[in-house]
Amino acid sequence: MFATNMDSARDVGGAPSTVLIPMRFVWPYGGRSVFLSGSFARRWSELIPMTPVEGCPTVFQAIYSVTPGYHQYKFFVDGEWRHDEHQPYVSGEYGLVNTVLLATDPNFFHPNVTPEITSGSNMEEDTEAFRRLVRITDGNLTDVVPRITEGDLQGSRHRISVFLSAHTTYELLPESGKVVALDVDLPVKQAFHILHEQGIPLAPLWDFSKGQFVGVLTASDFILILRELGNHGSNLTEEELETHTIAAWKEGKAYLNGQIDGHGRALPRRFIHAGPYDNMKDVVLKLLQNEVATVPIIHSSSEDGTFPQLLHLASLSGILKCICRYFRHSSSSLPILQAPICELHVGTWVPEIGESNCRPLAMLRPSASLSAALNLLVQAQVSSIPIVDDNDSLVDIYCRSDITALAKDRAYAHINLNEMTIHQALQLGQDSYSPFEPRSQRCQMCLRSDSLHKVMERLANPGVRRLVIVEAGSKRVEGIVSLSDIFKFLLG
């Protein structure tokens, strides 16, 4: 379609040819086969393959290094030439083509492109190196990464805060889906099996006598139950689990935690939930302040709150996905997205030599007992523990939700927590992971050099709750970053 002598972008700008800028070109409108071509691709004579973005099969991307100057490009989708109407474009001899201007001199503009068009461009640069200039000197690559100023940090946080305050949890509701709730009079054993069979780590609790939701049963409850029952004997018995209803356990848990009134009665715990019209910022703060990962979204059409309806379970993951989707094509408005996570001090890290007053990173060997893992999850108040070898290289990860694997073949009825190793527990659950959290998504990793943008995109994927930060090559654990870490940083 395009002639090789197309003269729309021939070495414009007078910039040295040794300066290259990695650019991320995006076609977000689907297709079976998508290619990119442009004035930078051997003057339109080369078709550059574009690949689907992980988790977004309709979004195609290609990363290509171009020189500063004025360029034109177009997409070849399923045998037809297309342009992106949402990006700057011009009409010329060869139809409509998209344009991009990269200038090292802020006073440089191509005569046919106005500053307004240029500043409106949403072309994203390489997610691995936002605004990074790669200069080639004597065959060596030198990366120049701009520093994030305090103004950049506060400005980015303000924009995210404004976005979250302006959007409600109603936008988190899926078009279709199911939410499992449990009756408080259900035996703990039966509840245990339901969570395992449904592949869910928690469920809201319904009290029929009160006609309302009263709490949430989580994997943490089962960890505490197993630890408590384990204190009464060397082996756990199925009968012990059958004698406790969820309501009885919740009351017993209150006594264990000293949550009793002056008359020795268990204090009712406040039920943490949200409504469909609560703004996302308030919900995030509620999740962080109460140190929970999920809140039920409940709606009642009556003023007195009777006949409540359970609509959805709002999570940090779902809210992060909304942020990523909203700012995906305007990442330049959030300068902090460009910075590597190691510079932002996000997450929990292995302390450096001589570093003090640092929260330790909990890790265990595969040979450690399951009892040690459960104790660490409770005492350190963490949701997961990296499992490492003798060189501290990542082998696997043990999470709170893994406790539900003990429902397989009623394993909880004949195990000893002090004798079963973490390796055995993980093997037991190897084929028990639900379709909602495939095993391949359990042990997600990232590098300290990865940008905050990349980490957020990964954590926004369903089933991904944390990333283990590892050293490239050796997979030696350097830290861990969770969804709550990201939101604590974003909201300051």
Side-chain angles (χ1 to χ4, degrees), residues 230-468:
N231 291 333
H232 300 296
S234 58
N235 292 309
L236 303 177
T237 63
E238 193 171 355
E239 289 74 21
E240 286 178 298
L241 289 178
E242 286 191 63
T243 58
H244 284 75
T245 63
I246 297 175
W249 158 247
K250 286 293 186 180
E251 184 174 358
K253 181 181 176 183
Y255 281 106
L256 288 173
N257 295 334
Q259 298 170 338
I260 55 178
D261 60 18
H263 302 285
R265 292 174 297 198
L267 291 171
R269 186 178 179 183
R270 184 170 62 91
F271 175 43
I272 303 167
H273 64 284
Y277 304 112
D278 293 351
N279 70 66
M280 290 187 190
K281 183 178 179 180
D282 287 344
V283 174
V284 169
L285 293 176
K286 184 176 292 187
L287 287 165
L288 296 178
Q289 291 165 0
N290 291 280
E291 297 182 340
V292 294
T294 306
V295 292
I297 304 298
I298 295 176
H299 176 64
S300 175
S301 55
S302 60
E303 293 183 2
D304 59 0
T306 55
F307 306 107
Q309 292 180 299
L310 178 61
L311 303 180
H312 185 56
L313 296 178
S315 66
L316 292 177
S317 176
I319 296 174
L320 185 62
K321 186 174 183 179
C322 288
I323 294 176
C324 291
R325 183 169 59 240
Y326 183 81
F327 290 102
R328 179 163 293 158
H329 295 294
S330 58
S331 58
S332 60
S333 66
L334 298 177
I336 58 172
L337 296 184
Q338 308 163 10
I341 55 172
C342 62
E343 290 188 4
L344 300 175
H345 306 292
V346 181
T348 303
W349 295 74
V350 173
E352 302 288 345
I353 296 176
E355 187 177 5
S356 60
N357 300 322
C358 178
R359 180 186 176 187
L361 177 64
M363 296 187 290
L364 288 174
R365 302 279 188 262
S367 58
S369 69
L370 180 57
S371 176
L374 300 185
N375 290 339
L376 190 56
L377 287 170
V378 173
Q379 294 166 4
Q381 296 182 331
V382 294
S383 62
S384 60
I385 305 169
I387 308 303
V388 298
D389 61 17
D390 293 337
N391 297 316
D392 288 341
S393 295
L394 186 64
V395 175
D396 210 318
I397 193 165
Y398 193 84
C399 311
R400 278 192 300 228
S401 56
D402 287 329
I403 196 69
T404 60
L406 295 181
K408 179 185 178 184
D409 300 327
R410 296 187 176 92
Y412 54 78
H414 51 78
I415 67 167
N416 186 307
L417 297 179
N418 293 315
E419 295 177 359
M420 173 171 276
T421 67
I422 296 174
H423 174 73
Q424 291 170 332
L426 289 170
Q427 287 295 114
L428 180 67
Q430 194 162 17
D431 57 351
S432 298
Y433 300 110
S434 74
F436 304 104
E437 186 178 10
R439 185 169 180 81
S440 61
Q441 290 191 333
R442 289 172 25 82
C443 200
Q444 292 282 325
M445 297 172 284
C446 68
L447 304 177
R448 62 166 49 234
S449 58
D450 284 342
S451 67
L452 178 62
H453 178 268
K454 182 175 182 179
V455 169
M456 288 171 57
E457 288 278 3
R458 296 275 298 278
L459 285 171
N461 287 328
V464 181
R465 296 182 175 89
R466 82 283 301 168
L467 298 178
V468 181

Side-chain angles (χ1 to χ4, degrees), residues 126-201:
D126 180 2
T127 55
E128 299 274 348
F130 283 89
R131 290 183 183 171
R132 178 177 298 176
L133 293 182
V134 181
R135 300 183 183 276
I136 305 176
T137 307
D138 300 328
N140 297 319
L141 296 183
T142 303
D143 292 348
V144 181
V145 183
R147 282 205 168 275
I148 301 301
T149 66
E150 183 65 21
D152 291 334
L153 176 61
Q154 297 307 324
S156 298
R157 284 173 169 171
H158 175 71
R159 291 182 184 93
I160 291 175
S161 178
V162 169
F163 167 77
L164 292 175
S165 299
H167 292 75
T168 67
T169 57
Y170 185 83
E171 299 173 50
L172 301 175
L173 304 185
E175 293 183 1
S176 63
K178 69 174 181 179
V179 182
V180 177
L182 303 175
D183 193 293
V184 292
D185 292 325
L186 200 67
V188 168
K189 170 199 167 184
Q190 192 172 345
F192 199 5
H193 280 285
I194 291 173
L195 290 189
H196 169 67
E197 291 168 358
Q198 295 295 322
I200 54 178

Side-chain angles (χ1 to χ4, degrees), residues 73-89:
Y73 61 96
K74 205 160 184 173
F75 303 94
F76 193 60
V77 183
D78 297 337
E80 295 184 1
W81 287 101
R82 307 273 298 276
H83 75 284
D84 187 347
E85 295 180 353
H86 294 89
Q87 301 295 334
Y89 61 90

Side-chain angles (χ1 to χ4, degrees), residues 8-27:
S8 59
R10 279 186 285 200
D11 301 324
V12 178
S17 60
T18 55
V19 178
L20 299 174
I21 300 178
M23 295 291 298
R24 179 174 179 253
F25 295 85
V26 177
W27 175 259

Side-chain angles (χ1 to χ4, degrees), residues 33-49:
S33 64
V34 183
F35 296 86
L36 168 73
S37 191
S39 53
F40 45 80
R42 296 180 183 176
R43 296 189 178 180
W44 300 94
S45 64
E46 178 184 2
L47 287 177
I48 303 165

